[in-house]
Amino acid sequence: MHATARAALRSVVGPGHFRETDGELVPYSRDATPLFHARPDAVVFPADTAEVAAVLDIATRYAVPVIPRGAGSNLCAATVASRGGVVLVLTRLNQILEIAPAELLARVQPGVTSATLAEAASRDGLLWAPDPGSRTVATIGGTIATNAGGLRGLKYGVTRDYVLGLEAVLPTGEVIRTGGRLHKDVAGYDLTRLLTGSEGTLAVITEATLALRTAPATAGTGVAYFPDLAAAGRAVTAIIAAGILPATLEFLDRACVQAVEDFARLGLRTDAGALLLFGDDGTSDTVARALGRMSDVCTAHEALDVTTAAEVAQAEALLAARRCALPALSRLGELTILEDATVPRPRIAEMVDRIDAIGARHGVTIATFGHAGDGNLHPTCVVKSQDDTDAVARAESAFADIFAAAIDLGGTITGEHGVGAAKLPYLTTQLGADQIALLRRLKTAFDPAGILNPGKLGS
């Protein structure tokens, strides 16, 4: 990066918020995605929208790549500086600007974490529904940029369903506002939806207006054990076919259950082939009726054992079992490769069978957990040693086959993690060359100099 550009960037954010030494750059050379890392030329921490705009203006003038970043908890290498440049960290923009109960909305800066917003909303009896697994660290800007999902996706939808408006800075330094405080607004192209899920390739989000819901009065959770994951998948299909829309419908296979129990000692049944976590929220009567119906469906579809949590503490423990699946599996080896693929709900069982067959064919063990209610699976491979290049190569080949299988079953290479650099090699297979060409034309319209997160999505 040119010395003049470095000096200009330092002057915008101040010396205390400009990093350029090797030791300072290492933490920003990667995100939560294994196998991907690249050293940026500098890292900047802007304080407000004006500083973001100034940084982007300088970057465009000097043709410096800019990679927007929140907490770096994404799992698709979306914030890796694969072509060098400047990592633009937005964690200093961390204020909840407004919670408006009468309008069921909040205005926040991008550095606010999902958990912080949820806690603040709950004090007014409101619910921030998106619930990504990394919610304690995941920033709102990042969840919007990747259109994150979570455990409540079946009943409540994903992040895009709650984004009403955005303030964003274009790569040229122009500041735009899309949408606003209205739940109904169809004036012009829906740029809010376009920017949601764009992974920092079109603009930098500096403020979001978000829809909230009234918090449910109560919630309940249950767990069913099955002989295998395919049987659990059939039970999921039957639950939805019965007209039940659960707030929670999650699954773990045998390997995940064993790892979680070894890690958290929650009293899970480790002799079963799969665990299905189900739950609902609403009035007490509604929750009790839904749990009872789901219990009956599971029993009628090969469940070995079905129990419902009698207390809030038990329910939280069951939810904790699902949330700690990844850290539990990570204890089994030096390298944990977690992916996501989604198939139509009725084809979950078939996809699980394919994943098992693919793992066997490549000689790798793949544990699978995920969001059963919306068909979003998280196949996870743990490699004992990250220096075992043969095992890593076999795992990568297995995941390539898994993505191909998902597409073949009418699914997608990613349901919630995003594309980033990790899934880019498979994107054309899913979308086709014509749609990729359209993505590139859109990218050029927003970013004529091509400086914003280059090498990601259609760029």
Side-chain angles (χ1 to χ4, degrees), residues 299-316:
T299 300
H301 286 79
E302 304 180 61
L304 305 172
D305 183 25
V306 183
T307 59
T308 56
E311 307 172 348
V312 172
Q314 288 178 301
E316 289 299 321

Side-chain angles (χ1 to χ4, degrees), residues 317-375:
L318 291 175
L319 289 170
R322 166 60 181 86
R323 295 189 192 282
C324 73
L326 177 57
L329 288 169
S330 297
R331 298 171 68 241
L332 304 180
E334 291 182 358
L335 179 66
T336 304
I337 307 173
L338 167 67
E339 288 292 359
D340 82 313
T342 303
V343 296
R345 193 185 301 112
R347 310 200 77 169
I348 290 176
E350 185 178 354
M351 184 63 184
V352 169
D353 287 342
R354 290 206 189 188
I355 290 172
D356 290 343
I358 289 168
R361 186 165 66 249
H362 289 278
V364 295
T365 300
I366 299 176
T368 305
F369 63 95
H371 314 296
D374 53 25

Side-chain angles (χ1 to χ4, degrees), residues 38 42 61 115 119 169 183 189 235 257 326 341 361 376 419 436:
R61 282 191 280 122
E119 182 181 351
V169 184
H183 288 258
Y189 293 137
V257 173
L326 177 57
R361 186 165 66 249
N376 188 199
V419 176
I436 291 293

Side-chain angles (χ1 to χ4, degrees), residues 82-83 200-202 420 424 427 436 439-441 443-444 447 450-459:
S82 54
R83 298 184 184 176
T201 61
L202 302 180
L424 192 59
L427 190 61
I436 291 293
L439 294 185
R440 289 174 176 158
R441 292 197 296 273
K443 166 71 171 174
T444 300
D447 182 13
I451 59 105
L452 203 49
N453 214 2
K456 314 289 170 52
L457 283 181
S459 59

Side-chain angles (χ1 to χ4, degrees), residues 151 220-225 248 250 252 260-261 264 266-269 275-279 291 306-325:
L151 273 64
T221 306
V223 62
Y225 296 94
T248 303
E250 301 286 310
L252 293 85
V260 168
E261 181 60 21
L266 297 170
L268 303 179
R269 182 171 170 173
L275 176 157
L276 182 65
L277 183 69
F278 57 88
L291 292 182
V306 183
T307 59
T308 56
E311 307 172 348
V312 172
Q314 288 178 301
E316 289 299 321
L318 291 175
L319 289 170
R322 166 60 181 86
R323 295 189 192 282
C324 73

Side-chain angles (χ1 to χ4, degrees), residues 31 33 36 67 74-83 145-146 197-201 339-340 413-414 416-427 453-459:
D31 50 30
T33 318
F36 289 84
I67 301 87
N74 79 88
L75 291 162
C76 65
T79 56
V80 174
S82 54
R83 298 184 184 176
T146 56
S198 63
E199 298 182 19
T201 61
E339 288 292 359
D340 82 313
I413 60 175
T414 176
E416 61 182 3
H417 289 176
V419 176
K423 300 284 185 70
L424 192 59
Y426 314 104
L427 190 61
N453 214 2
K456 314 289 170 52
L457 283 181
S459 59

